[in-house]
Amino acid sequence: MNASASTELAVDIDDVVLDFDTPSGVIRALDGATVSVPAGSSLAIVGESGSGKSTLASLLVRLQPSNASIGRGTVRVDGAEAAKLSARDVRQLRQNTVGMVPQDPIGSLDPTKRIGHQLRLVLREAGEEHTRAKRVALLESVQIDDPERVLQLFPHEVSGGMAQRIAIAIAMCRKPRILVADEPTAALDAQVRDEVVRLMFQRAAAAGTTIVWLSHDLPSVARWCDAIAVMYAGRVVERGPARDVLEAPVHPYTRALAGADPARVAQGERLISIAGAPPVLRGPSDGCAFSDRCSFAIDACRVTRPEPVGADGRSALCIRIDDLPEPAPLRAGPRGGAA
């Protein structure tokens, strides 16, 4: 990859349609997804399972499976169109431009090799000094106590929180321009989750790395991320500054998603879930894909495909934006702090 320091957008995804060819027929995973991420900023992609966020993230490093085909749109990563990269450039993209922090950190490590040996291999491949002192320093950089002892352990001998710190160290040792974090704290308890998120953002800020964070943790998104993209049925249905969107969501799906989050519910109140499930699309959605689950839907919503509406850096895909009541605000702590 020949990255340009003047590239304004680290990620620019424009009107992408992606289908999976399955035994039961063609499944549309992305139905015209559009989102961009300025270099050095942070974007959270949120939505229910099946909304398309993991598929969207996989395009950044060309990790979509062989049965996937892009029918329309472009994916530009660090100024280059990912779909047109040669095999050599894809390897360079994965090695030097985009780092990955997985959902299952222990599963991402080689169970047959000690942590120290795996770090040595990673440092060597990155062209870095791979001495024991360098490996110790790498673990210290992610605030792991007694790194000498940890170097001797196998992956199954470390906790989930420690494994995720190791995964962050591995991802950041190359100083990638973009870091994709796929639900990196999903399996961690609350205290460890906050520590890992703080560490990830601190390391990224120090390196000037852009973060694309796939998450269900809306309060943390509001505290840490610059922007948010809310996905539903393969489209970004609302996007804008993270705190603004979550404090005053516009799209009915964003409202329902935020309303189903425990952080918005006072003690003793009943948590309201979203009825139904995301649709399985076989082609483009003719109308609003959320209309069957939306309490504000009218007949026109089912037959009119919504286009982005909004201003001042915010947009939403809803034909009834001007008719909707004011949403209840999200209770969240200050940016970067505890709730």
Side-chain angles (χ1 to χ4, degrees):
M1 288 288 293
N2 227 349
S4 169
S6 63
T7 300
E8 295 183 0
L9 293 177
V11 174
D12 187 13
I13 298 172
D14 182 34
D15 194 28
V16 172
V17 168
L18 182 144
D19 294 327
F20 289 113
D21 187 6
T22 74
S24 60
V26 173
I27 303 296
R28 176 145 297 182
L30 297 177
D31 188 28
T34 297
V35 70
S36 59
V37 192
S41 69
S42 55
L43 171 78
I45 303 178
V46 304
E48 295 168 282
S49 297
S51 62
K53 58 186 187 294
S54 292
T55 300
L56 193 70
S58 73
L59 296 177
L60 303 184
V61 281
R62 287 266 296 269
L63 284 177
Q64 63 268 32
S66 59
N67 67 332
S69 60
I70 298 177
R72 187 179 73 227
T74 58
V75 179
R76 299 188 69 83
V77 182
D78 196 28
E81 191 167 341
K84 295 182 178 179
L85 294 178
S86 66
R88 178 181 178 277
D89 283 341
V90 169
R91 288 194 297 272
Q92 291 295 314
L93 174 77
R94 295 170 182 171
Q95 289 177 353
N96 302 320
T97 303
V98 183
M100 301 285 292
V101 178
Q103 185 177 103
D104 177 14
I106 294 177
S108 71
L109 298 171
D110 188 332
T112 68
K113 293 182 174 65
R114 298 182 192 274
I115 300 300
H117 182 60
Q118 297 190 55
L119 293 182
R120 182 173 66 82
L121 294 175
V122 169
L123 288 167
R124 186 178 67 184
E125 290 174 2
E128 297 280 345
E129 182 184 6
H130 50 272
T131 62
R132 188 175 187 85
K134 180 68 174 180
R135 283 172 272 159
V136 167
L138 191 59
L139 293 183
E140 289 176 338
S141 73
V142 289
Q143 301 171 13
I144 288 180
D145 295 330
D146 197 2
E148 290 279 4
R149 180 185 68 85
V150 175
L151 289 176
Q152 301 302 314
L153 301 178
F154 287 95
H156 71 272
E157 296 177 306
V158 303
S159 67
M162 185 179 293
Q164 198 57 279
R165 289 170 185 267
I166 293 168
I168 292 171
I170 290 173
M172 292 301 298
C173 77
R174 296 177 181 271
K175 299 180 177 59
R177 286 180 51 80
I178 302 163
L179 183 68
V180 178
D182 185 2
E183 294 284 354
T185 61
L188 306 180
D189 62 49
Q191 180 178 350
V192 176
R193 182 165 60 243
D194 289 344
E195 292 172 354
V196 167
V197 170
R198 182 179 295 107
L199 175 65
M200 181 174 70
F201 275 84
Q202 287 174 345
R203 289 297 309 276
T209 298
T210 304
I211 290 183
V212 178
W213 181 20
L214 281 59
S215 180
H216 288 102
D217 189 349
L218 300 186
S220 288
V221 163
R223 292 197 296 270
W224 288 102
C225 288
D226 298 314
I228 187 171
V230 183
M231 290 199 70
Y232 187 80
R235 300 188 79 187
V236 176
V237 298
E238 184 165 358
R239 56 179 168 168
R243 197 170 183 89
D244 292 349
V245 169
L246 292 174
E247 285 185 344
V250 173
H251 195 279
Y253 178 64
T254 310
R255 296 178 183 221
L257 196 67
D261 190 273
R264 289 182 74 107
V265 179
Q267 187 173 2
E269 289 185 3
R270 185 180 181 86
L271 190 65
I272 301 175
S273 62
I274 308 175
V280 176
L281 298 179
R282 302 289 179 176
S285 175
D286 294 328
C288 174
F290 187 60
S291 60
D292 288 342
R293 305 172 72 191
C294 179
S295 57
F296 302 108
I298 58 177
D299 289 343
C301 297
R302 296 176 173 83
V303 296
T304 305
R305 185 176 171 89
E307 296 300 328
V309 176
D312 300 324
R314 292 193 60 177
S315 66
L317 304 182
C318 180
I319 65 173
R320 300 205 64 206
I321 286 179
D322 294 335
D323 302 328
L324 302 180
E326 290 293 321
L330 171 71
R331 289 185 287 273
R335 179 178 171 82

